[in-house]
């Protein structure tokens, strides 16, 4: 089964094995039968969707990159891309939910001790534990080294104080991966696992958002929240590396996949509209200017998917591909937003009406722009790559799961 309109194989299909096609069919069937019927209620209420999130987690898809030794699928990043893409095509909110917890898995896989892996990864794999990652703060934004939240050592515990914002799955997550300041230098950041029911951790009600209705996207407040030393992730002072590597290896490709799914939804909705809407006695797509715009959207989707699959494939092979991951996120976000405008021009006033999902796709697409780096950030990093100024390749350094007791690498 091709991932393109019309069902004909494309260049992006060359990255796929039969297992990928089977996975796509499975996720697509679930999304169409279980997710699609809930979208209207999610849009109407704006409430955090918990039951559907739990049902998706029970499919085992959060553990797509978790090794089979821990009960996971062990299917890799390209499989992860397909899962997120297919869910996002039906509901950007549920695609975002899956990608946010898969992002939370990264720190356990790459920096967790063997004990931590055996404690939490099987629960991720069976869908009973949704992890998150909490880095962003009000005064620092995505500037990791500017964070102010503190973790003070007291005997066999750390005491956390501070505030995290814009946390994906904030209100449904069971295990938060928190980065806090334990010193003053760039090496003064440390990562921790914080269970959602820890005393001292509170969550204000989630606010209203432009899009992704049903997705939990809120704040975590820590006041004298005590956690055992055993909840530390990696070594003390490795928090920067935990945050950066998670963003590069999971954040960028995950958000690429969300954007790709929404982009495909733009294409499919627009082709249906242009075929059903009649102008001058013929289907709208008979107008040359309309057909050209549809061709542009199709071209952008093909380009975006090729970039997404290529980067994920390289990540699965262990190749150095930080630049490809950045480029895939840049291309998928920017081209999806370009296609959003073209789709709105084709729909005209009809695209503004809530009974057509185009306006939902447009609102959802804007949520993918900032996380894991805006387009300007991706361009700056790509320029550094071209100039030979990049500081390292996370994709190569953490391409394999670290063996028990092996020290995690740190960029200098």
């Amino acid at each position: 089964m091709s991932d393109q309109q019309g069902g004909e194989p494309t260049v992006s299909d060359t990255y796929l094995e039969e297992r990928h096609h089977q996975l796509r069919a499975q996720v697509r069937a679930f999304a169409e039968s279980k997710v699609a019927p809930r979208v209207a209620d999610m849009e109407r209420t704006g409430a955090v969707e918990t039951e559907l999130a739990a049902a998706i987690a029970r499919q085992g898809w959060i553990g797509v990159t978790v090794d089979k030794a821990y009960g996971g699928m062990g299917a890799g990043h390209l499989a992860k891309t397909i899962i997120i893409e297919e869910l996002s095509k039906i509901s950007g909110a549920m695609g975002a939910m899956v990608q946010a917890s898969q992002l939370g898995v990264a720190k356990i896989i790459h920096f967790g001790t063997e004990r931590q892996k055996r404690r939490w990864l099987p629960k991720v794999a069976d869908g009973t534990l949704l992890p998150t990652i909490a880095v962003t703060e009000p005064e620092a934004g995505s500037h990791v080294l500017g964070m102010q939240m503190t973790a003070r050592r007291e005997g066999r515990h750390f005491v956390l104080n501070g505030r995290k914002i814009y946390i994906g799955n904030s209100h449904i997550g069971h295990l938060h991966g928190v980065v806090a300041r334990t010193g003053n230098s760039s090496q003064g950041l440390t990562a921790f696992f914080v269970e959602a029911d820890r005393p001292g951790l509170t969550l204000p009600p989630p606010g209203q958002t432009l899009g992704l209705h049903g997705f939990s996207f809120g704040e975590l407040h820590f006041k004298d929240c005590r956690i055992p030393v055993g909840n530390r992730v990696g070594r003390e002072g490795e928090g920067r590396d935990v945050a950066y590597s998670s963003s590069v290896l999971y954040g960028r490709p995950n958000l690429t996949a969300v954007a790709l799914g929404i982009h495909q939804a733009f294409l499919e909705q627009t082709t249906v509209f242009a075929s059903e809407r009649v102008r001058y006695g013929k289907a709208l797509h008979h107008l040359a200017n309309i057909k050209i715009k549809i061709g542009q959207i199709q071209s952008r989707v093909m380009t975006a998917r090729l970039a997404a699959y290529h980067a994920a494939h390289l990540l699965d092979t262990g190749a150095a591909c930080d630049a490809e991951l950045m480029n895939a996120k840049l291309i998928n976000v920017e081209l999806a937003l370009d296609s959003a405008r073209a789709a709105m021009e084709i729909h005209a006033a009809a695209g503004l009406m809530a009974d057509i999902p185009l306006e939902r796709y447009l609102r959802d697409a804007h949520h993918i722009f900032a996380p894991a780096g805006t387009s300007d950030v991706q361009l700056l990093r790509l320029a550094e790559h071209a100039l030979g100024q990049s500081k390292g390749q996370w994709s190569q350094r953490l391409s394999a799961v670290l063996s028990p007791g092996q020290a995690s690498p740190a960029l200098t």
Side-chain angles (χ1 to χ4, degrees), residues 249-389:
L249 299 183
Y250 280 72
R252 285 170 180 153
N254 287 8
L255 292 161
T256 292
V258 176
L260 178 58
I262 295 172
H263 201 170
Q264 182 69 32
F266 274 124
L267 174 61
E268 293 184 11
Q269 165 59 31
T270 303
T271 56
V272 169
F273 179 83
S275 298
E276 295 178 348
R277 185 60 57 102
V278 175
R279 284 295 180 271
Y280 311 111
K282 296 181 179 180
L284 185 63
H285 63 68
H286 284 282
L287 296 175
N289 63 318
I290 300 298
K291 187 170 288 186
I292 287 172
K293 291 183 187 300
I294 293 174
Q296 289 174 330
I297 298 173
Q298 173 71 32
S299 174
R300 294 187 193 111
V301 169
M302 293 174 69
T303 301
R305 180 172 284 110
L306 186 58
Y309 287 11
H310 175 62
H313 170 74
L314 290 177
L315 192 55
D316 279 337
T317 66
C321 58
D322 286 30
E324 285 80 2
L325 294 168
M326 297 170 196
N327 188 54
K329 204 260 181 178
L330 170 71
I331 285 177
N332 272 269
V333 169
E334 291 297 326
L335 294 188
L337 292 174
D338 288 344
S339 290
R341 175 170 178 173
M344 289 297 289
E345 289 175 351
I346 292 172
H347 283 73
L352 304 175
M353 307 304 293
D355 62 340
I356 291 180
L358 194 68
E359 55 88 26
R360 169 167 63 88
Y361 303 152
L362 177 61
R363 288 186 284 105
D364 290 351
H366 280 284
H367 277 256
I368 316 305
F369 177 78
T374 64
S375 293
D376 282 350
V377 169
Q378 311 305 331
L379 289 168
L380 285 170
R381 298 293 175 262
L382 287 168
E384 291 172 355
H385 177 78
L387 295 167
Q389 299 172 350

Side-chain angles (χ1 to χ4, degrees), residues 25-260:
Q26 177 189 359
V27 180
R28 181 174 295 178
F30 180 93
E32 292 175 349
S33 64
K34 304 297 184 182
V35 178
R38 302 289 288 273
V39 170
D41 282 344
M42 291 160 59
E43 287 297 307
R44 179 178 56 82
T45 67
V48 174
E49 177 56 61
T50 57
E51 293 182 5
L52 188 54
I56 292 172
R58 285 194 297 270
Q59 305 305 306
W61 296 329
I62 308 300
V64 61
T65 59
V66 173
D67 192 272
K68 292 181 179 179
Y70 303 102
M73 294 174 60
H77 291 274
L78 183 51
K80 172 166 59 69
T81 294
I82 291 170
I83 290 170
I84 299 172
E85 175 192 357
E86 287 296 326
L87 289 170
S88 299
K89 187 176 72 172
I90 299 298
S91 168
M94 290 300 99
M97 183 281 294
V98 170
Q99 78 81 24
S101 274
Q102 288 173 339
L103 172 59
V105 171
K107 61 191 177 297
I108 309 176
I109 292 177
H110 294 299
F111 289 88
T113 64
E114 184 62 22
R115 183 177 181 180
Q116 289 169 338
K117 291 176 182 179
R118 294 195 179 280
R119 178 181 178 185
W120 285 310
L121 288 181
K123 295 180 180 180
V124 170
D126 68 18
T128 57
L129 185 142
L130 293 176
T132 77
I133 188 164
V135 175
T136 307
E137 296 186 3
E139 303 302 322
S142 59
H143 176 46
V144 173
L145 297 181
M147 70 173 58
Q148 300 174 2
M149 179 172 168
T150 61
R152 184 181 71 256
R153 179 76 178 261
E154 288 189 0
R156 298 298 299 167
H157 290 81
F158 282 93
V159 180
L160 278 58
N161 282 282
R163 176 184 169 202
K164 298 293 184 179
I165 61 173
Y166 309 139
I167 307 306
N169 289 344
S170 54
H171 286 66
I172 65 173
H174 304 104
L175 184 70
H176 302 294
V178 180
V179 180
R181 186 161 291 284
T182 51
N184 295 321
S185 68
S186 62
Q187 300 298 318
L189 300 177
T190 303
F192 305 91
F193 294 118
V194 183
E195 297 89 341
D197 58 356
R198 282 276 172 187
L201 169 58
T202 58
L203 286 73
Q208 295 183 336
T209 59
L210 173 69
L212 297 183
H213 295 166
F215 176 54
S216 174
F217 182 58
E219 299 188 11
L220 307 177
H221 293 185
F222 300 85
K223 185 175 182 181
D224 296 330
C225 179
R226 298 176 66 86
I227 59 172
V229 171
N231 277 29
R232 186 182 64 204
V233 186
R235 298 189 296 261
E236 190 163 337
E238 273 192 325
R240 179 192 64 168
D241 297 340
V242 173
Y244 284 175
S245 62
S246 296
S247 177
V248 171
L249 299 183
Y250 280 72
R252 285 170 180 153
N254 287 8
L255 292 161
T256 292
V258 176
L260 178 58

Side-chain angles (χ1 to χ4, degrees), residues 391-402:
K391 297 179 180 179
Q393 290 278 351
W394 279 116
S395 49
Q396 194 170 44
R397 296 184 182 212
L398 293 181
S399 60
V401 177
L402 299 175

